[in-house]
Amino acid sequence: MFHHSTFFMLHRYFVIMLALAAVLLGVQLPNFITQYQQRLDAQLTEAMVYYKEYQRIADTYLNGDMNALIKMHEQSDNPVFKEEATPIRELIRRVDLYRHEQQQLSQGYLKQIWFIATAANPEMRDNTWRMYSFNVPLTRQAVFTGIIAALVAVLAFDGCWGGCKLAYRRWARRREKRHLHRHSR
């Protein structure tokens, strides 16, 4: 059987390991955001290659109106041009989406976290996670996030542990009272 001090020591070691694991996971969050931003920048750069060409055509012939360019393609008698309207519309939608995401990711760190967690492009977020490269960046944000993650993990664990101990003590007291009550009759 474990001695009380041995149990306490093992409990503390576990808490330290939990805190270290939380730090290592916490420092990954800014790294994930950076990798997401890099993927977003690459997607936007690629889309802009084609977008700029269509924008040049719209600027030359339609006063820069990309919707007029799409409408012209849709109303064309040529089936090739008519079908081209859909990919042009999708390209414009993607460029607008990527620009919006870049704008969201240019805000403060906490807003970036919230955006990635709640509103980022799910496909790009999944691809970023699938291709994610773990490392331990020592930026201010990474250290801050790691410390906060460790604090939250330790407080949650200690809170749960304390709650379990309290529940066990109450249960043991009730059991003891029932036992004493039975034997006092």
Side-chain angles (χ1 to χ4, degrees):
M1 199 75 185
F2 282 120
H3 189 273
H4 182 68
S5 64
T6 304
F7 182 76
F8 179 75
M9 185 177 64
L10 290 175
H11 175 263
R12 284 292 109 198
Y13 286 155
F14 179 77
V15 170
I16 290 169
M17 288 187 336
L18 179 68
L20 287 173
V23 166
L24 289 174
L25 289 175
V27 299
Q28 296 307 308
L29 188 55
N31 189 36
F32 183 84
I33 292 170
T34 297
Q35 289 184 31
Y36 184 92
Q37 286 173 320
Q38 290 168 344
R39 182 173 299 279
L40 176 63
D41 290 345
Q43 294 285 327
L44 179 59
T45 299
E46 180 183 344
M48 287 305 293
V49 168
Y50 303 104
Y51 182 89
K52 284 179 183 176
E53 286 302 311
Y54 287 116
Q55 185 64 62
R56 185 188 58 75
I57 294 168
D59 289 344
T60 303
Y61 300 104
L62 303 165
N63 295 322
D65 188 350
M66 293 286 271
N67 289 321
L69 180 65
I70 291 171
K71 191 174 233 172
M72 183 177 269
H73 276 77
E74 288 172 336
Q75 295 172 349
S76 174
D77 294 332
N78 185 327
V80 174
F81 289 125
K82 196 170 205 150
E83 280 194 39
E84 200 173 40
T86 301
I88 294 172
R89 185 180 294 105
E90 176 60 19
L91 176 64
I92 292 169
R93 186 195 67 76
R94 285 179 54 214
V95 166
D96 289 345
L97 172 70
Y98 297 154
R99 285 178 172 166
H100 170 74
E101 289 207 3
Q102 275 189 329
Q103 182 182 22
Q104 296 302 309
L105 292 171
S106 68
Q107 297 182 23
Y109 180 58
L110 294 177
K111 287 184 180 180
Q112 290 175 357
I113 293 171
W114 183 252
F115 175 75
I116 292 286
T118 62
N121 179 328
E123 181 182 346
M124 194 174 312
R125 185 175 44 216
D126 292 344
N127 287 337
T128 303
W129 179 247
R130 198 168 22 81
M131 302 300 288
Y132 183 70
S133 172
F134 288 90
N135 60 38
V136 182
L138 291 179
T139 63
R140 181 178 298 137
Q141 290 173 337
V143 171
F144 169 77
T145 306
I147 289 170
I148 295 298
L151 182 63
V152 168
V154 168
L155 289 175
F157 176 76
D158 279 348
C160 289
W161 182 258
C164 289
K165 284 173 37 179
L166 181 63
Y168 175 75
R169 283 187 201 130
R170 286 182 179 173
W171 175 79
R173 273 191 239 127
R174 284 186 197 141
R175 187 171 164 226
E176 187 177 320
K177 283 181 184 179
R178 279 189 298 231
H179 181 72
L180 289 173
H181 182 68
R182 283 188 202 142
H183 290 296
S184 66
R185 290 185 196 177

